[in-house]
Tab-separated table of all heavy atoms in Angstrom:
chain	number	residue	atom	x	y	z
A	14	ALA	N	35.866	-18.460	-48.613
A	14	ALA	CA	34.471	-18.674	-48.996
A	14	ALA	C	34.144	-17.921	-50.278
A	14	ALA	O	33.441	-18.437	-51.157
A	14	ALA	CB	33.542	-18.240	-47.868
A	15	ALA	N	34.668	-16.710	-50.400
A	15	ALA	CA	34.438	-15.920	-51.617
A	15	ALA	C	35.087	-16.590	-52.826
A	15	ALA	O	34.550	-16.550	-53.940
A	15	ALA	CB	34.984	-14.509	-51.432
A	16	ALA	N	36.245	-17.220	-52.596
A	16	ALA	CA	36.899	-17.938	-53.690
A	16	ALA	C	36.071	-19.146	-54.128
A	16	ALA	O	36.028	-19.490	-55.314
A	16	ALA	CB	38.300	-18.384	-53.257
A	17	LEU	N	35.397	-19.778	-53.181
A	17	LEU	CA	34.578	-20.956	-53.485
A	17	LEU	C	33.248	-20.592	-54.128
A	17	LEU	O	32.813	-21.241	-55.077
A	17	LEU	CB	34.305	-21.739	-52.190
A	17	LEU	CG	35.363	-22.701	-51.689
A	17	LEU	CD1	34.972	-23.240	-50.315
A	17	LEU	CD2	35.559	-23.863	-52.660
A	18	PHE	N	32.601	-19.549	-53.587
A	18	PHE	CA	31.221	-19.268	-53.962
A	18	PHE	C	31.032	-17.962	-54.739
A	18	PHE	O	29.918	-17.638	-55.130
A	18	PHE	CB	30.341	-19.253	-52.705
A	18	PHE	CG	30.449	-20.514	-51.898
A	18	PHE	CD1	31.018	-20.503	-50.643
A	18	PHE	CD2	30.002	-21.725	-52.407
A	18	PHE	CE1	31.129	-21.670	-49.888
A	18	PHE	CE2	30.107	-22.894	-51.671
A	18	PHE	CZ	30.680	-22.875	-50.415
A	19	GLY	N	32.105	-17.223	-54.930
A	19	GLY	CA	32.021	-15.993	-55.704
A	19	GLY	C	32.033	-14.749	-54.832
A	19	GLY	O	31.535	-14.765	-53.697
A	20	SER	N	32.581	-13.671	-55.359
A	20	SER	CA	32.705	-12.423	-54.604
A	20	SER	C	31.357	-11.796	-54.291
A	20	SER	O	31.258	-10.910	-53.441
A	20	SER	CB	33.568	-11.426	-55.378
A	20	SER	OG	32.991	-11.147	-56.642
A	21	LYS	N	30.305	-12.272	-54.958
A	21	LYS	CA	28.959	-11.725	-54.717
A	21	LYS	C	28.476	-11.964	-53.292
A	21	LYS	O	27.524	-11.321	-52.840
A	21	LYS	CB	27.957	-12.313	-55.696
A	21	LYS	CG	27.823	-13.830	-55.650
A	21	LYS	CD	26.860	-14.318	-56.716
A	21	LYS	CE	26.795	-15.845	-56.752
A	21	LYS	NZ	28.063	-16.455	-57.208
A	22	ILE	N	29.111	-12.889	-52.554
A	22	ILE	CA	28.674	-13.153	-51.176
A	22	ILE	C	29.196	-12.086	-50.210
A	22	ILE	O	28.844	-12.112	-49.031
A	22	ILE	CB	29.107	-14.550	-50.694
A	22	ILE	CG1	30.626	-14.646	-50.523
A	22	ILE	CG2	28.566	-15.642	-51.607
A	22	ILE	CD1	31.092	-15.882	-49.777
A	23	ILE	N	30.019	-11.169	-50.688
A	23	ILE	CA	30.548	-10.084	-49.851
A	23	ILE	C	29.963	-8.763	-50.325
A	23	ILE	O	29.961	-8.460	-51.514
A	23	ILE	CB	32.083	-10.045	-49.911
A	23	ILE	CG1	32.674	-11.373	-49.428
A	23	ILE	CG2	32.630	-8.899	-49.068
A	23	ILE	CD1	34.187	-11.447	-49.513
A	24	ASP	N	29.464	-7.955	-49.371
A	24	ASP	CA	28.850	-6.681	-49.749
A	24	ASP	C	29.905	-5.591	-49.951
A	24	ASP	O	31.117	-5.842	-49.829
A	24	ASP	CB	27.785	-6.250	-48.734
A	24	ASP	CG	28.361	-5.898	-47.360
A	24	ASP	OD1	29.572	-5.609	-47.248
A	24	ASP	OD2	27.580	-5.883	-46.383
A	25	THR	N	29.463	-4.397	-50.268
A	25	THR	CA	30.392	-3.307	-50.589
A	25	THR	C	31.209	-2.843	-49.387
A	25	THR	O	32.201	-2.138	-49.539
A	25	THR	CB	29.619	-2.102	-51.159
A	25	THR	OG1	28.588	-1.710	-50.233
A	25	THR	CG2	28.999	-2.447	-52.499
A	26	HIS	N	30.788	-3.243	-48.194
A	26	HIS	CA	31.532	-2.904	-46.973
A	26	HIS	C	32.482	-4.021	-46.543
A	26	HIS	O	33.117	-3.932	-45.492
A	26	HIS	CB	30.551	-2.600	-45.834
A	26	HIS	CG	29.605	-1.481	-46.135
A	26	HIS	ND1	30.007	-0.153	-46.208
A	26	HIS	CD2	28.270	-1.494	-46.414
A	26	HIS	CE1	28.961	0.599	-46.503
A	26	HIS	NE2	27.902	-0.177	-46.627
A	27	GLY	N	32.556	-5.073	-47.345
A	27	GLY	CA	33.436	-6.180	-47.020
A	27	GLY	C	32.851	-7.198	-46.061
A	27	GLY	O	33.563	-8.075	-45.574
A	28	GLU	N	31.544	-7.092	-45.806
A	28	GLU	CA	30.879	-8.003	-44.877
A	28	GLU	C	30.179	-9.133	-45.640
A	28	GLU	O	29.764	-8.969	-46.789
A	28	GLU	CB	29.836	-7.250	-44.045
A	28	GLU	CG	30.379	-6.067	-43.256
A	28	GLU	CD	31.143	-6.483	-42.010
A	28	GLU	OE1	31.164	-7.707	-41.704
A	28	GLU	OE2	31.695	-5.599	-41.341
A	29	LEU	N	30.052	-10.272	-44.984
A	29	LEU	CA	29.385	-11.417	-45.581
A	29	LEU	C	27.887	-11.166	-45.750
A	29	LEU	O	27.223	-10.686	-44.828
A	29	LEU	CB	29.591	-12.654	-44.696
A	29	LEU	CG	28.841	-13.926	-45.099
A	29	LEU	CD1	29.326	-14.437	-46.438
A	29	LEU	CD2	28.991	-14.991	-44.021
A	30	LYS	N	27.362	-11.493	-46.909
A	30	LYS	CA	25.920	-11.504	-47.132
A	30	LYS	C	25.392	-12.870	-46.680
A	30	LYS	O	25.339	-13.831	-47.460
A	30	LYS	CB	25.598	-11.280	-48.611
A	30	LYS	CG	25.983	-9.910	-49.144
A	30	LYS	CD	25.598	-9.800	-50.617
A	30	LYS	CE	25.953	-8.455	-51.210
A	30	LYS	NZ	25.616	-8.408	-52.664
A	31	ARG	N	25.048	-12.973	-45.417
A	31	ARG	CA	24.695	-14.266	-44.839
A	31	ARG	C	23.460	-14.884	-45.497
A	31	ARG	O	23.401	-16.093	-45.715
A	31	ARG	CB	24.471	-14.121	-43.331
A	31	ARG	CG	25.738	-13.749	-42.608
A	31	ARG	CD	25.580	-13.719	-41.100
A	31	ARG	NE	26.879	-13.424	-40.513
A	31	ARG	CZ	27.823	-14.328	-40.296
A	31	ARG	NH1	27.588	-15.586	-40.596
A	31	ARG	NH2	28.982	-13.989	-39.798
A	32	GLY	N	22.483	-14.054	-45.767
A	32	GLY	CA	21.271	-14.577	-46.382
A	32	GLY	C	21.539	-15.179	-47.748
A	32	GLY	O	21.039	-16.268	-48.070
A	33	LEU	N	22.349	-14.490	-48.539
A	33	LEU	CA	22.668	-14.986	-49.880
A	33	LEU	C	23.450	-16.292	-49.799
A	33	LEU	O	23.136	-17.262	-50.498
A	33	LEU	CB	23.481	-13.936	-50.646
A	33	LEU	CG	24.007	-14.372	-52.014
A	33	LEU	CD1	22.853	-14.751	-52.939
A	33	LEU	CD2	24.858	-13.254	-52.643
A	34	LEU	N	24.467	-16.332	-48.954
A	34	LEU	CA	25.257	-17.553	-48.829
A	34	LEU	C	24.389	-18.706	-48.329
A	34	LEU	O	24.505	-19.836	-48.817
A	34	LEU	CB	26.437	-17.333	-47.881
A	34	LEU	CG	27.364	-18.538	-47.679
A	34	LEU	CD1	27.973	-19.001	-49.000
A	34	LEU	CD2	28.465	-18.208	-46.676
A	35	GLY	N	23.510	-18.423	-47.372
A	35	GLY	CA	22.614	-19.464	-46.866
A	35	GLY	C	21.736	-20.040	-47.956
A	35	GLY	O	21.580	-21.263	-48.069
A	36	ARG	N	21.166	-19.175	-48.784
A	36	ARG	CA	20.311	-19.660	-49.875
A	36	ARG	C	21.118	-20.494	-50.865
A	36	ARG	O	20.629	-21.515	-51.376
A	36	ARG	CB	19.645	-18.479	-50.590
A	36	ARG	CG	18.567	-17.795	-49.771
A	36	ARG	CD	17.773	-16.822	-50.599
A	36	ARG	NE	18.586	-15.707	-51.101
A	36	ARG	CZ	18.831	-14.588	-50.425
A	36	ARG	NH1	18.343	-14.433	-49.199
A	36	ARG	NH2	19.559	-13.624	-50.960
A	37	MET	N	22.348	-20.086	-51.129
A	37	MET	CA	23.191	-20.823	-52.073
A	37	MET	C	23.491	-22.227	-51.578
A	37	MET	O	23.335	-23.210	-52.310
A	37	MET	CB	24.503	-20.065	-52.319
A	37	MET	CG	24.358	-18.778	-53.102
A	37	MET	SD	25.927	-17.868	-53.211
A	37	MET	CE	26.920	-19.026	-54.170
A	38	VAL	N	23.912	-22.336	-50.322
A	38	VAL	CA	24.385	-23.642	-49.854
A	38	VAL	C	23.239	-24.573	-49.464
A	38	VAL	O	23.348	-25.795	-49.643
A	38	VAL	CB	25.391	-23.499	-48.686
A	38	VAL	CG1	26.606	-22.687	-49.124
A	38	VAL	CG2	24.763	-22.896	-47.439
A	39	PHE	N	22.137	-24.030	-48.954
A	39	PHE	CA	21.049	-24.913	-48.552
A	39	PHE	C	20.221	-25.389	-49.743
A	39	PHE	O	19.394	-26.285	-49.605
A	39	PHE	CB	20.170	-24.241	-47.500
A	39	PHE	CG	20.788	-24.262	-46.135
A	39	PHE	CD1	21.382	-23.125	-45.606
A	39	PHE	CD2	20.805	-25.421	-45.390
A	39	PHE	CE1	21.985	-23.145	-44.350
A	39	PHE	CE2	21.396	-25.461	-44.129
A	39	PHE	CZ	21.984	-24.317	-43.611
A	40	ASN	N	20.479	-24.822	-50.905
A	40	ASN	CA	19.849	-25.314	-52.116
A	40	ASN	C	20.755	-26.264	-52.890
A	40	ASN	O	20.380	-26.752	-53.956
A	40	ASN	CB	19.462	-24.135	-53.028
A	40	ASN	CG	18.249	-23.394	-52.510
A	40	ASN	OD1	17.314	-24.004	-52.004
A	40	ASN	ND2	18.260	-22.074	-52.624
A	41	ASP	N	21.949	-26.530	-52.362
A	41	ASP	CA	22.932	-27.360	-53.054
A	41	ASP	C	23.744	-28.135	-52.021
A	41	ASP	O	24.652	-27.573	-51.401
A	41	ASP	CB	23.843	-26.470	-53.906
A	41	ASP	CG	24.789	-27.259	-54.784
A	41	ASP	OD1	25.216	-28.355	-54.377
A	41	ASP	OD2	25.127	-26.772	-55.883
A	42	PRO	N	23.459	-29.415	-51.816
A	42	PRO	CA	24.174	-30.199	-50.800
A	42	PRO	C	25.683	-30.199	-50.973
A	42	PRO	O	26.420	-30.216	-49.985
A	42	PRO	CB	23.594	-31.609	-50.990
A	42	PRO	CG	22.241	-31.397	-51.572
A	42	PRO	CD	22.382	-30.192	-52.468
A	43	GLN	N	26.157	-30.170	-52.214
A	43	GLN	CA	27.607	-30.163	-52.443
A	43	GLN	C	28.224	-28.865	-51.930
A	43	GLN	O	29.283	-28.881	-51.289
A	43	GLN	CB	27.919	-30.341	-53.926
A	43	GLN	CG	29.421	-30.413	-54.213
A	43	GLN	CD	29.731	-30.632	-55.679
A	43	GLN	OE1	28.831	-30.784	-56.501
A	43	GLN	NE2	31.012	-30.665	-56.023
A	44	LYS	N	27.555	-27.747	-52.183
A	44	LYS	CA	28.067	-26.467	-51.694
A	44	LYS	C	28.005	-26.391	-50.175
A	44	LYS	O	28.906	-25.834	-49.541
A	44	LYS	CB	27.274	-25.313	-52.324
A	44	LYS	CG	27.578	-25.093	-53.793
A	44	LYS	CD	26.782	-23.925	-54.361
A	44	LYS	CE	27.139	-23.695	-55.826
A	44	LYS	NZ	26.350	-22.584	-56.418
A	45	LEU	N	26.951	-26.946	-49.593
A	45	LEU	CA	26.846	-26.970	-48.136
A	45	LEU	C	28.001	-27.769	-47.544
A	45	LEU	O	28.606	-27.366	-46.544
A	45	LEU	CB	25.510	-27.567	-47.710
A	45	LEU	CG	25.260	-27.671	-46.205
A	45	LEU	CD1	25.328	-26.301	-45.539
A	45	LEU	CD2	23.922	-28.347	-45.925
A	46	SER	N	28.312	-28.904	-48.156
A	46	SER	CA	29.426	-29.723	-47.693
A	46	SER	C	30.744	-28.968	-47.807
A	46	SER	O	31.590	-29.031	-46.894
A	46	SER	CB	29.486	-31.021	-48.502
A	46	SER	OG	30.574	-31.819	-48.094
A	47	GLN	N	30.936	-28.242	-48.893
A	47	GLN	CA	32.160	-27.450	-49.077
A	47	GLN	C	32.299	-26.384	-47.993
A	47	GLN	O	33.385	-26.185	-47.434
A	47	GLN	CB	32.157	-26.787	-50.452
A	47	GLN	CG	32.389	-27.712	-51.615
A	47	GLN	CD	32.337	-26.962	-52.939
A	47	GLN	OE1	31.367	-26.230	-53.220
A	47	GLN	NE2	33.357	-27.119	-53.756
A	48	LEU	N	31.201	-25.715	-47.705
A	48	LEU	CA	31.237	-24.671	-46.681
A	48	LEU	C	31.533	-25.265	-45.308
A	48	LEU	O	32.343	-24.714	-44.548
A	48	LEU	CB	29.901	-23.920	-46.651
A	48	LEU	CG	29.830	-22.738	-45.678
A	48	LEU	CD1	30.806	-21.636	-46.080
A	48	LEU	CD2	28.410	-22.187	-45.595
A	49	ASN	N	30.892	-26.382	-45.011
A	49	ASN	CA	31.125	-27.036	-43.727
A	49	ASN	C	32.587	-27.470	-43.575
A	49	ASN	O	33.180	-27.320	-42.507
A	49	ASN	CB	30.198	-28.236	-43.571
A	49	ASN	CG	28.747	-27.846	-43.367
A	49	ASN	OD1	28.459	-26.699	-43.009
A	49	ASN	ND2	27.834	-28.772	-43.592
A	50	GLU	N	33.142	-28.026	-44.625
A	50	GLU	CA	34.543	-28.459	-44.584
A	50	GLU	C	35.482	-27.283	-44.360
A	50	GLU	O	36.522	-27.416	-43.710
A	50	GLU	CB	34.903	-29.184	-45.885
A	50	GLU	CG	34.277	-30.560	-46.015
A	50	GLU	CD	34.568	-31.205	-47.361
A	50	GLU	OE1	35.395	-30.655	-48.120
A	50	GLU	OE2	33.963	-32.258	-47.667
A	51	LEU	N	35.121	-26.137	-44.883
A	51	LEU	CA	35.936	-24.938	-44.709
A	51	LEU	C	35.830	-24.384	-43.288
A	51	LEU	O	36.845	-24.061	-42.661
A	51	LEU	CB	35.500	-23.862	-45.714
A	51	LEU	CG	36.100	-22.447	-45.519
A	51	LEU	CD1	37.612	-22.475	-45.727
A	51	LEU	CD2	35.430	-21.457	-46.461
A	52	LEU	N	34.611	-24.295	-42.783
A	52	LEU	CA	34.386	-23.539	-41.549
A	52	LEU	C	34.417	-24.360	-40.260
A	52	LEU	O	34.886	-23.864	-39.235
A	52	LEU	CB	33.032	-22.824	-41.630
A	52	LEU	CG	32.889	-21.767	-42.713
A	52	LEU	CD1	31.535	-21.084	-42.585
A	52	LEU	CD2	33.998	-20.735	-42.625
A	53	HIS	N	33.910	-25.571	-40.287
A	53	HIS	CA	33.748	-26.305	-39.030
A	53	HIS	C	35.041	-26.518	-38.250
A	53	HIS	O	35.045	-26.331	-37.018
A	53	HIS	CB	33.037	-27.627	-39.277
A	53	HIS	CG	31.578	-27.459	-39.557
A	53	HIS	ND1	30.768	-28.465	-40.049
A	53	HIS	CD2	30.759	-26.386	-39.420
A	53	HIS	CE1	29.544	-28.027	-40.190
A	53	HIS	NE2	29.508	-26.762	-39.823
A	54	PRO	N	36.159	-26.882	-38.892
A	54	PRO	CA	37.388	-27.024	-38.095
A	54	PRO	C	37.778	-25.733	-37.390
A	54	PRO	O	38.185	-25.750	-36.216
A	54	PRO	CB	38.438	-27.434	-39.143
A	54	PRO	CG	37.640	-28.084	-40.231
A	54	PRO	CD	36.370	-27.301	-40.296
A	55	ALA	N	37.636	-24.607	-38.074
A	55	ALA	CA	37.996	-23.312	-37.473
A	55	ALA	C	37.033	-22.936	-36.351
A	55	ALA	O	37.450	-22.413	-35.307
A	55	ALA	CB	38.002	-22.226	-38.549
A	56	ILE	N	35.753	-23.204	-36.560
A	56	ILE	CA	34.756	-22.875	-35.539
A	56	ILE	C	35.004	-23.675	-34.265
A	56	ILE	O	35.009	-23.127	-33.163
A	56	ILE	CB	33.333	-23.123	-36.073
A	56	ILE	CG1	32.989	-22.087	-37.154
A	56	ILE	CG2	32.307	-23.064	-34.930
A	56	ILE	CD1	31.709	-22.391	-37.908
A	57	TRP	N	35.236	-24.983	-34.409
A	57	TRP	CA	35.433	-25.804	-33.214
A	57	TRP	C	36.763	-25.519	-32.531
A	57	TRP	O	36.853	-25.559	-31.298
A	57	TRP	CB	35.289	-27.284	-33.550
A	57	TRP	CG	33.859	-27.667	-33.780
A	57	TRP	CD1	33.296	-28.116	-34.935
A	57	TRP	CD2	32.794	-27.590	-32.829
A	57	TRP	NE1	31.953	-28.331	-34.767
A	57	TRP	CE2	31.617	-28.021	-33.481
A	57	TRP	CE3	32.721	-27.213	-31.489
A	57	TRP	CZ2	30.387	-28.079	-32.839
A	57	TRP	CZ3	31.503	-27.271	-30.843
A	57	TRP	CH2	30.346	-27.700	-31.513
A	58	LYS	N	37.783	-25.210	-33.313
A	58	LYS	CA	39.069	-24.851	-32.702
A	58	LYS	C	38.913	-23.614	-31.821
A	58	LYS	O	39.384	-23.573	-30.675
A	58	LYS	CB	40.117	-24.593	-33.782
A	58	LYS	CG	41.491	-24.234	-33.218
A	58	LYS	CD	42.504	-24.016	-34.340
A	58	LYS	CE	43.871	-23.638	-33.767
A	58	LYS	NZ	44.877	-23.442	-34.848
A	59	ARG	N	38.243	-22.602	-32.335
A	59	ARG	CA	38.027	-21.371	-31.576
A	59	ARG	C	37.090	-21.620	-30.399
A	59	ARG	O	37.320	-21.101	-29.284
A	59	ARG	CB	37.446	-20.295	-32.502
A	59	ARG	CG	37.117	-18.978	-31.815
A	59	ARG	CD	38.321	-18.360	-31.156
A	59	ARG	NE	38.024	-17.027	-30.622
A	59	ARG	CZ	38.696	-16.452	-29.644
A	59	ARG	NH1	39.744	-17.088	-29.084
A	59	ARG	NH2	38.374	-15.246	-29.215
A	60	THR	N	36.056	-22.427	-30.614
A	60	THR	CA	35.116	-22.736	-29.538
A	60	THR	C	35.835	-23.382	-28.359
A	60	THR	O	35.653	-22.978	-27.201
A	60	THR	CB	33.999	-23.663	-30.045
A	60	THR	OG1	33.227	-22.966	-31.029
A	60	THR	CG2	33.085	-24.101	-28.915
C-alpha cells in the first residue's frame, strides 16, 4: 500500500495512518479500486 500511495500513509511508528489513506482513496475512485484489489483477496482468505 505504501508503494502504491506513498510512504506518507505510514506514521513514525510504522503504523498505518488510516484516516489519511481513507481520505486519499475515497476522493479518487481509481485509488479506491487499487486498494480494494490489493486488500480484498487477503481479507477474505483470512476471514
Side-chain angles (χ1 to χ4, degrees):
L17 277 173
F18 305 113
S20 59
K21 59 183 176 293
I22 68 168
I23 301 177
D24 67 20
T25 55
H26 302 289
E28 303 284 355
L29 174 65
K30 294 181 180 178
R31 294 185 177 277
L33 174 60
L34 181 59
R36 289 191 296 274
M37 290 175 64
V38 300
F39 282 103
N40 285 321
D41 187 327
Q43 183 178 357
K44 288 181 178 178
L45 179 59
S46 179
Q47 287 179 308
L48 184 64
N49 289 342
E50 288 176 9
L51 170 64
L52 296 184
H53 286 168
I56 290 170
W57 286 116
K58 181 179 179 179
R59 177 59 174 156
T60 295

